Amino acid sequence: MTAASPKVLVVEDEESILELIRDSIGREGFVVATATSGEEALAQVNEEAPDLILLDLMLPGISGLEVCRRLKAQPATADIPVLMLSARDGESDVIAGLEIGADDYLTKPFSPRILAARLRAALRRREGGAQAAERTQVSAGGVTLDRERREVTVDGARLELTYTEFEILWLLAATPGRVFTRPRIVEAARGADAGITERAVDVAIVRLRRKLGPAASRIETVRGVGYRFAD
């Protein structure tokens, strides 16, 4: 991947939307390839993997959700960021896509400038992703986490967090901008608190925001889906 001209595969069957996306992100410096069906998208990825994929969920033939599942199931393509496009009433599909491993989503209609910003953020996360599993410290927005010491500070002031609160904050802060569903947060935070529920995640987020003080706004609620740490 080259930083100057990352390649984006846009998978969209509506010609007007496809043209809008191609023109707008092309002006932002992206190299754009297109596909109008799930089958065509998979064939193109197998031939030459793009740097990231913008994937409509409602496609003829193989659905966008199935395309995402297949890509994330293959080691050769699993780390390609996938940003999903969905109609506003596609909440269940969005959640399913994020659970499979999609990086982010946009609802239609969307701002071309926001789309370009989301694409760049996904590329930044991909570049840092290879080291993320081995990282022991994370710093973002004045919040610093030390996994070995299990310490959290905000602008130098130490916080006292429970096991669950620390695990949730680590998950979110380690990949700023990425949306995590409540089930995914539950999975990451189980540990000693094996009985944690999706409702308990919401309660833990409320406590976290209270403890984070001026940094509380970094944890953003994605309505109907889950949470993310502001990028």
Side-chain angles (χ1 to χ4, degrees), residues 86-144:
S86 172
R88 291 189 182 278
D89 58 357
E91 180 178 294
S92 61
D93 285 338
V94 168
I95 292 173
L98 292 171
E99 286 298 298
I100 289 171
D103 191 81
D104 202 349
Y105 80 97
L106 284 171
T107 54
K108 300 175 183 179
F110 52 86
S111 160
R113 293 183 64 187
I114 290 177
L115 170 59
R118 293 282 189 89
L119 292 173
R120 292 193 186 97
L123 286 172
R124 290 195 299 270
R125 289 194 293 271
R126 184 188 188 187
E127 290 167 357
Q131 295 82 28
E134 299 179 0
R135 291 163 66 186
T136 59
Q137 288 192 341
V138 167
S139 294
V143 182
T144 300

Side-chain angles (χ1 to χ4, degrees), residues 1-7 50-52 81 122-124 126-127:
M1 180 183 71
T2 60
S5 55
K7 180 180 178 180
D51 295 311
L52 64 164
L123 286 172
R124 290 195 299 270
R126 184 188 188 187
E127 290 167 357

Side-chain angles (χ1 to χ4, degrees), residues 54 59 62 69 73 90 98 179 194 202:
L54 186 61
L59 294 170
I62 300 175
R69 187 194 67 77
L98 292 171
V179 180
D202 294 335

Side-chain angles (χ1 to χ4, degrees), residues 24-154:
S24 63
I25 66 176
R27 288 193 297 268
E28 295 288 338
F30 293 94
V31 174
V32 184
T34 63
T36 56
S37 70
E39 292 87 346
E40 184 183 358
L42 291 171
Q44 286 200 39
V45 172
N46 288 333
E47 182 176 339
E48 182 181 355
D51 295 311
L52 64 164
I53 298 170
L54 186 61
L55 178 64
D56 185 26
L57 287 178
M58 301 298 291
L59 294 170
I62 300 175
S63 70
L65 198 61
E66 177 62 15
V67 170
C68 183
R69 187 194 67 77
R70 294 188 188 185
L71 292 172
K72 295 302 177 180
Q74 297 295 324
T77 57
D79 69 337
I80 300 175
V82 176
L83 282 75
M84 300 180 301
L85 290 175
S86 172
R88 291 189 182 278
D89 58 357
E91 180 178 294
S92 61
D93 285 338
V94 168
I95 292 173
L98 292 171
E99 286 298 298
I100 289 171
D103 191 81
D104 202 349
Y105 80 97
L106 284 171
T107 54
K108 300 175 183 179
F110 52 86
S111 160
R113 293 183 64 187
I114 290 177
L115 170 59
R118 293 282 189 89
L119 292 173
R120 292 193 186 97
L123 286 172
R124 290 195 299 270
R125 289 194 293 271
R126 184 188 188 187
E127 290 167 357
Q131 295 82 28
E134 299 179 0
R135 291 163 66 186
T136 59
Q137 288 192 341
V138 167
S139 294
V143 182
T144 300
L145 294 86
D146 188 314
R147 194 164 186 81
E148 290 186 344
R149 297 183 179 185
R150 299 194 73 79
E151 291 180 354
V152 179
T153 60
V154 176

Side-chain angles (χ1 to χ4, degrees), residues 168-216:
I168 292 174
L169 185 58
W170 178 272
L171 177 71
L172 299 176
T175 49
R178 178 162 186 172
V179 180
F180 290 94
T181 64
R182 288 174 177 83
R184 175 66 184 88
I185 296 173
V186 168
E187 178 185 342
R190 283 188 185 278
D193 294 342
I196 189 172
T197 64
E198 292 185 32
R199 173 57 182 160
V201 168
D202 294 335
V203 174
I205 292 291
V206 170
R207 294 199 307 262
L208 262 177
R209 284 172 169 158
R210 187 179 301 124
K211 293 180 179 181
L212 287 170

